[in-house]
Amino acid sequence: MSETQTIARREAAPQPCPPPAHVAIIMDGNGRWAARRGLPRVEGHRRGVEAVRRSVRAAIDLGVRYLTIYSFSSENWRRPPAEVADLMGLLKLFVRRDLAELDAANVRVRIIGDREGLSPDIAGLLIEAEERTARNTGLTLAVAFNYGGRQEIVRAARRLAEAVAAGTLRPDEIDADRLAGALDTVGIPDPDLVIRTSGEQRLSNFLTWQTAYSEYVLIPDFWPDFDHGAFAAAIDEYHRRDRRFGGLSEKAG
Ligand code: IPE
Ligand code: IPE
Ligand code: MG
């Protein structure tokens, strides 16, 4: 076989699809998972934390570079105080128990969301999680906590307005990149894939700006049942999509 034929063959070989660089997950259905079993909602949240651990391992195994998880929304304060306290307690437990392991796995933790008004112990743990893992180079795990997409855009707009008022930014310098750079997610690429469990079909104020061209995979199972197989299946579904970004299909030719 001539050298050109060898090269032609090599080029024709099917290439494995690269994994989505950034997967963002709306972890929903803990309460319903528990209710189906006659258990208190907090038990669903506890089992949800185990699903988070599985998902981090699966993301690393599947070659995902950025994983964002929606753990507490700006609107979740509307829940009964006892449930809010349970969720705060589980977050603290997660950071205390899992931070060393995440660090050892070379995971870099980022927290997105509003830090104002959080209790000092939680605020301190969030800073500790970020600082301890800041130099890690593996998976970036972005935890959306006290997070709302609209609130994040408002905070970004305010930052830009302050720069204009201070004379360090001209209004005509504000473009999409500049706004994105003022969001909590600065430096993190937009999600390629958004997964939501529990059968709901809405964004619930998650990554409002960043998901403009994300693919959505909505799965009926509740979050505590999410595992490596479900994650891999969602990525398979993502690979069957045709992302056009307003242009024409590359797949159909
Ligand atoms: C997701 O499960 C966890 C959080 C929103 C914090 P839910 O608590 O929303 O469970 P359902 O949707 O009521 O079943
Ligand atoms: C979205 O779930 C928030 C999180 C997963 C943290 P919700 O259960 O709060 O969403 P809605 O209220 O059903 O839209
Ligand atoms: Mg819910």
Side-chain angles (χ1 to χ4, degrees):
M1 202 188 285
S2 76
E3 200 182 321
T4 33
Q5 274 174 321
T6 320
I7 290 168
R9 256 194 205 188
R10 209 182 291 145
E11 280 175 358
Q15 296 296 309
C17 293
H22 183 178
V23 178
I25 309 186
I26 303 172
M27 315 184 287
D28 199 14
N30 293 350
R32 280 165 284 170
W33 181 93
R36 289 271 169 95
R37 289 160 179 78
L39 298 168
R41 290 179 60 85
V42 66
E43 195 50 36
H45 295 315
R46 279 195 202 109
R47 298 292 287 263
V49 176
E50 290 171 26
V52 169
R53 293 189 181 108
R54 286 196 295 274
S55 304
V56 171
R57 284 195 291 269
I60 294 169
D61 182 59
L62 294 164
V64 170
R65 300 285 308 153
Y66 298 85
L67 175 68
T68 301
I69 51 173
Y70 204 5
S71 78
F72 192 86
S73 77
S74 309
E75 289 73 33
N76 285 146
W77 296 104
R78 294 178 187 153
R79 296 189 180 198
E83 176 159 347
V84 171
D86 286 339
L87 289 166
M88 296 295 149
L90 282 170
L91 177 88
K92 284 193 256 182
L93 210 61
F94 176 70
V95 177
R96 288 199 186 112
R97 275 200 197 154
D98 289 59
L99 187 56
E101 202 180 311
L102 291 169
D103 189 26
N106 199 21
V107 173
R108 181 178 180 186
V109 178
R110 289 266 304 260
I111 313 290
I112 60 170
D114 197 348
R115 306 284 178 102
E116 292 290 313
L118 297 179
S119 69
D121 55 342
I122 291 209
L125 279 172
L126 299 183
I127 292 170
E128 185 190 334
E130 286 190 317
E131 286 184 349
R132 177 161 176 181
T133 62
R135 278 165 300 280
N136 289 346
T137 54
L139 175 77
T140 294
L141 174 66
V143 180
F145 180 76
N146 194 25
Y147 177 86
R150 286 185 169 181
Q151 291 86 337
E152 181 193 33
I153 293 169
V154 168
R155 274 186 276 112
R158 206 171 277 159
R159 268 181 218 143
L160 297 178
E162 279 164 3
V164 170
T168 55
L169 181 69
R170 287 197 322 270
D172 65 0
E173 288 176 315
I174 298 175
D175 57 10
D177 284 343
R178 190 74 69 150
L179 201 138
L183 296 170
D184 300 349
T185 48
V186 57
I188 298 177
D190 288 343
D192 301 291
L193 168 62
V194 175
I195 300 171
R196 183 168 188 152
T197 55
S198 91
E200 305 300 350
Q201 304 190 16
R202 55 176 170 266
L203 211 44
S204 301
N205 206 10
F206 187 46
L207 300 176
T208 311
W209 171 277
Q210 299 87 340
T211 53
Y213 267 105
S214 304
E215 295 295 327
Y216 293 82
V217 171
L218 307 168
I219 57 184
D221 309 305
F222 297 131
W223 176 248
D225 291 326
F226 193 80
D227 60 10
H228 188 289
F231 205 144
I235 291 181
D236 283 348
E237 168 65 28
Y238 166 82
H239 284 312
R240 288 192 287 274
R241 303 285 174 85
D242 184 12
R243 300 185 80 188
R244 291 191 290 276
F245 299 98
L248 298 179
S249 177
E250 283 182 17
K251 279 193 177 171

